[in-house]
Amino acid sequence: MFLKRSFWLSAIILLSLTACQPVQSPVSMTKPAQIETVASELSGQYQQAADEYAQLATTNDGAEQAAYQLKAAQMYWQSGQVELSQSQLDQIKLSLLDKSRRYDAAILGANIALFNSEGERALEAVSAVQEKDLSAQNLKNVLKLKADAYTLTGNWLEKANTHLKLEKILTDPESLKNNREALWQALMQMTPQALDLFNPGYPPAEDSGWFALAYNIKAYQDNPEVLAVALEDWKRSYPNHPADPALYQKTLAAGTHIPKDIENIAVLLPNSGPFVEAAKAIKDAIIAAQYVNGSTAQLHFYDIQTDAISGQSNVLSQYDAAVADGAGVVIGPLQKSSVETLATHPNLSVPVLALNRTDGPEAYKNLYQFGLAPEDEAAAAANYAKQLGYKRSIVLAPYNDWGQRIASAFTNQWRKDGGTTLLVSNYNEAENDFRDTLIPLMGLNDSEQRYKSLQGTLGRSLDFEPRRREGVDFLFLVARPLKARQLVPQLKYHRSGQLPLLATSHVYSGQSDPQQNIDLNDLIICDIPWVFEELAAEDLVYQALKNQSPENFASAIRLYALGVDAYKLIPQLNKLSRDPTSSMAGATGTLSINSQGHVIRKMLWAKFEQGELKLIK
């Protein structure tokens, strides 16, 4: 009697679950096998339920088969079996599903696509859903999926418009707050021209107000005085607008307030000591950029001295002297210890663009940190490898502090990117023959041991050719030019074969020399735009520096580029320091500033071919 009641109770539950479906494509749910499947689903045994629904689909056809396939796909998704879920979904003839189930299939397809970071496919999945026919909850679901998909595709206008639609149907305060933040972030990704062109209305309409507010912030963020006036005008045009002032006031409070017509630029560089040659190259570059720019601003140079024993620097007193002399902005210092000392200043009233970086992640008011940190290039290599679809790496670096810093920066970023480092191997820069390092790195000793074991088992000689380590997608190399030219050929000799080799710019002197650099063939590196003469030849500052010191230009090119970009960043600091999405094309890369005040460089990727470094298109 108990079993009979349980059977009918399950049947009633199941019928109630399907009662809301239109009668045009009914699916019978009264057979014992189907009751057991629903029981598995209700008890949370999604994998079992999915397998059972998939089996039921094979014993039915037409609308019933399509409905069971959809249920199987949903249960596989619930159990985390994404590929099986997609496989079931692909088999469904959507025309056989009723309207409600077609909506479910679209939502599932979009979720799977988003899981796989396929924005266009997610949008395609929900393209057939008619928003006007949806309930309020279902409309929210579709719009949220679309917003996520537009984020993946970088379509910020449609993302913003989607959040504006959500604004009209959301009711609870927390959801509205989150939606407005997401809307604002989307608007902040757009250019002032796009915000003006695609503004959907006129004052005092709320939708128009969002676009107009974002336009003011983006268009005038490099001119704080004009921005303040524009915001007052916006408040009068859009009274009672729901935009939380905290959204844009944070943008206003952040960043620099450098006058548009700056009169005095202070440069803090050493005139003696171990950094003097680097400082001279940077100084020459700043002067050349000033001359070519035709600026009327005055450059004032202050000598930064550091005690070799105590490490103490006069940077604080020199900064204060520059401020007292009327500096509107400060470039430098160059040494890391001096930057760290300057970061302790209790009141950096004048913005500083330092030419090195502290080790910590802290942000300091009015201190922006810019340099040629090798760790940045290592992290860029990890990100590039991820873009190429690589999963597993091995690392070869010198056994010294410099090599370990770069290797650690790479492995840390590679781990964050989801990659796996199978082995990190170190070599001695004092050596020239690296076989004892490369044989175990490439796994050739394991290959030889397998050969000897097999030879011993068979009791006879065999043809043998060593095979390198399997399951490796690429090798990340840390080396300076001389060692790189030794290591790359030896890696090839020790069976690296077609294994991609990635490295930082440190393997390349910057001097085009095909005869010498032919040993670097097939090596892929990141480097600054100025290394590629075809990109830099039209730059007047590049030409001036090359003509000024042709014998030293190649060896100092990256320091020249650093000085030039430091000077050119000054008029861009107001904008870049407030908007992490903005960027500037520079001699050292495409430059932007993150929330920590670090200048981020996006460099170019190139490959050595016949001894020449060729850009990867």
Side-chain angles (χ1 to χ4, degrees):
M1 190 69 171
F2 175 80
L3 291 175
K4 187 174 181 180
R5 280 201 301 271
S6 298
F7 175 91
W8 286 111
L9 178 60
S10 298
I12 291 168
I13 292 172
L14 188 53
L15 286 169
S16 69
L17 290 172
T18 59
C20 63
Q21 305 296 342
V23 296
Q24 60 187 7
S25 56
V27 178
S28 174
M29 293 287 191
T30 58
K31 296 178 183 178
Q34 298 157 340
I35 296 295
E36 292 171 5
T37 301
V38 172
S40 298
E41 178 182 347
L42 295 177
S43 64
Q45 301 177 55
Y46 299 123
Q47 175 75 54
Q48 180 177 335
D51 292 340
E52 291 169 356
Y53 278 126
Q55 180 60 36
L56 286 169
T58 64
T59 60
N60 287 271
D61 54 21
E64 289 189 344
Q65 182 184 59
Y68 283 129
Q69 288 169 333
L70 176 58
K71 289 296 294 183
Q74 291 172 320
M75 292 301 99
Y76 279 129
W77 171 254
Q78 289 278 55
S79 68
Q81 302 291 315
V82 181
E83 291 184 4
L84 289 175
S85 178
Q86 184 66 65
S87 177
Q88 284 292 322
L89 198 60
D90 289 341
Q91 297 177 46
I92 300 172
K93 293 182 178 179
L94 296 177
S95 61
L96 297 176
L97 295 175
D98 58 57
K99 184 182 295 185
S100 176
R101 289 195 178 104
R102 285 199 298 273
Y103 164 81
D104 291 338
I107 294 297
L108 178 58
N111 274 311
I112 293 173
L114 291 176
F115 178 85
N116 292 321
S117 299
E118 298 173 337
E120 291 290 355
R121 188 170 180 179
L123 292 169
E124 183 181 350
V126 295
S127 62
V129 175
Q130 298 296 315
E131 294 180 7
K132 61 182 178 62
D133 297 332
L134 297 176
S135 65
Q137 185 57 52
N138 286 351
L139 180 57
K140 290 177 190 176
N141 294 338
V142 169
L143 292 176
K144 287 177 180 177
L145 286 170
K146 284 186 174 182
D148 290 341
Y150 287 130
T151 300
L152 287 175
T153 61
N155 191 335
W156 305 113
L157 173 61
E158 288 306 322
K159 178 175 171 61
N161 287 332
T162 302
H163 285 296
L164 287 175
K165 290 181 181 179
L166 279 165
E167 176 79 9
K168 295 174 173 58
I169 60 175
L170 293 173
T171 54
D172 66 284
E174 187 64 23
S175 295
L176 278 168
K177 178 177 179 290
N178 293 336
N179 185 66
R180 287 166 184 172
E181 289 178 353
L183 165 61
W184 184 250
Q185 293 304 318
L187 293 170
M188 286 293 95
Q189 297 285 342
M190 296 170 63
T191 64
Q193 294 80 4
L195 289 164
D196 186 40
L197 179 63
F198 295 107
N199 189 314
Y202 302 94
E206 285 186 4
D207 288 1
S208 171
W210 283 107
F211 276 73
L213 177 60
Y215 172 82
N216 286 335
I217 298 293
K218 295 286 285 189
Y220 306 123
Q221 57 192 342
D222 60 343
N223 196 331
E225 291 79 11
V226 174
L227 178 57
V229 174
L231 286 176
E232 288 302 317
D233 184 58
W234 177 84
K235 290 175 184 177
R236 288 190 293 270
S237 299
Y238 299 94
N240 303 316
H241 194 275
D244 183 352
L247 282 175
Y248 57 89
Q249 285 175 351
K250 183 178 180 181
T251 303
L252 298 179
T256 62
H257 290 78
I258 299 172
K260 189 169 185 180
D261 297 319
I262 193 166
E263 297 178 356
N264 188 327
I265 300 174
V267 185
L268 311 183
L269 290 172
N271 288 337
S272 60
F275 289 83
V276 67
E277 290 302 321
K280 183 181 183 305
I282 293 170
K283 180 179 180 179
D284 289 346
I286 291 174
I287 293 173
Q290 163 89 341
Y291 176 78
V292 171
N293 186 60
S295 171
T296 59
Q298 297 295 309
L299 292 174
H300 297 278
F301 293 88
Y302 296 79
D303 180 23
I304 301 301
Q305 300 175 4
T306 304
D307 187 273
I309 298 175
S310 66
Q312 291 185 340
S313 168
N314 67 341
V315 66
L316 293 178
S317 61
Q318 292 292 64
Y319 172 82
D320 289 339
V323 173
D325 291 340
V329 67
V330 173
I331 298 175
L334 177 59
Q335 288 179 264
K336 177 180 287 190
S337 60
S338 296
V339 178
E340 291 171 342
T341 299
L342 191 57
T344 67
H345 197 292
N347 179 28
L348 292 176
S349 57
V350 171
V352 177
L353 180 62
L355 300 176
N356 211 318
R357 187 177 297 177
T358 62
D359 287 329
E362 296 86 358
Y364 303 93
K365 181 176 174 56
N366 264 348
L367 177 60
Y368 300 91
Q369 303 174 49
F370 177 37
L372 304 178
E375 293 89 344
D376 292 349
E377 295 189 26
N383 294 335
Y384 183 67
K386 180 185 179 182
Q387 293 175 21
L388 295 176
Y390 297 154
K391 302 293 184 184
R392 295 164 295 276
S393 71
I394 54 177
V395 178
L396 180 59
Y399 191 73
N400 54 35
D401 289 343
W402 176 78
Q404 299 311 299
R405 275 171 43 218
I406 299 178
S408 294
F410 169 80
T411 54
N412 290 340
Q413 185 62 49
W414 185 232
R415 191 181 306 114
K416 291 177 184 177
D417 289 342
T420 300
T421 301
L422 302 178
L423 181 66
V424 177
S425 187
N426 302 119
Y427 64 89
N428 187 343
E429 282 190 307
E431 297 177 352
N432 298 314
D433 184 349
F434 303 102
R435 60 178 287 111
D436 291 341
T437 299
L438 300 184
I439 286 175
L441 175 66
M442 302 308 296
L444 300 181
N445 49 355
D446 294 336
S447 177
E448 187 170 353
Q449 287 173 7
R450 288 192 297 270
Y451 160 71
K452 289 181 178 178
S453 176
L454 183 59
Q455 185 182 46
T457 300
L458 298 177
R460 60 186 176 84
S461 297
L462 299 169
D463 291 334
F464 171 65
E465 185 171 339
R467 296 178 60 188
R468 69 167 171 83
R469 185 185 303 276
E470 295 182 351
V472 180
D473 294 322
F474 72 103
L475 181 147
F476 176 65
L477 175 65
V478 182
R480 294 182 174 91
L482 175 60
K483 291 303 155 185
R485 291 194 296 269
Q486 293 174 344
L487 282 163
V488 172
Q490 290 187 46
L491 278 165
K492 292 178 180 178
Y493 177 80
H494 288 100
R495 308 289 173 174
S496 66
Q498 299 301 310
L499 184 69
L501 305 178
L502 271 62
T504 63
S505 66
H506 303 89
V507 302
Y508 182 44
S509 66
Q511 177 69 51
S512 178
D513 187 341
Q515 185 175 356
Q516 188 177 55
N517 293 327
I518 198 165
D519 287 334
L520 298 177
N521 275 357
D522 300 323
L523 186 62
I524 299 171
I525 72 169
C526 59
D527 215 328
I528 68 172
W530 263 25
V531 161
F532 305 94
E533 188 165 7
E534 66 268 31
L535 299 181
E538 300 301 317
D539 189 317
L540 296 179
V541 186
Y542 175 93
Q543 294 175 11
L545 288 167
K546 188 173 183 179
N547 294 334
Q548 174 182 315
S549 183
E551 67 282 358
N552 299 321
F553 183 72
S555 61
I557 190 169
R558 297 184 180 93
L559 290 169
Y560 284 143
L562 176 64
V564 169
D565 277 355
Y567 181 84
K568 290 185 175 180
L569 271 168
I570 296 303
Q572 300 294 324
L573 273 182
N574 285 342
K575 177 180 180 181
L576 297 182
S577 61
R578 288 186 176 84
D579 184 4
T581 67
S582 295
S583 62
M584 180 193 95
T588 60
T590 301
L591 308 178
S592 60
I593 298 178
N594 67 13
S595 58
Q596 284 76 45
H598 294 173
V599 177
I600 305 301
R601 295 185 298 133
K602 184 178 180 182
M603 293 178 289
L604 302 173
W605 286 92
K607 185 176 183 179
F608 284 97
E609 299 175 1
Q610 299 302 311
E612 291 276 17
L613 190 60
K614 302 291 186 182
L615 280 168
I616 296 174
K617 304 299 185 182

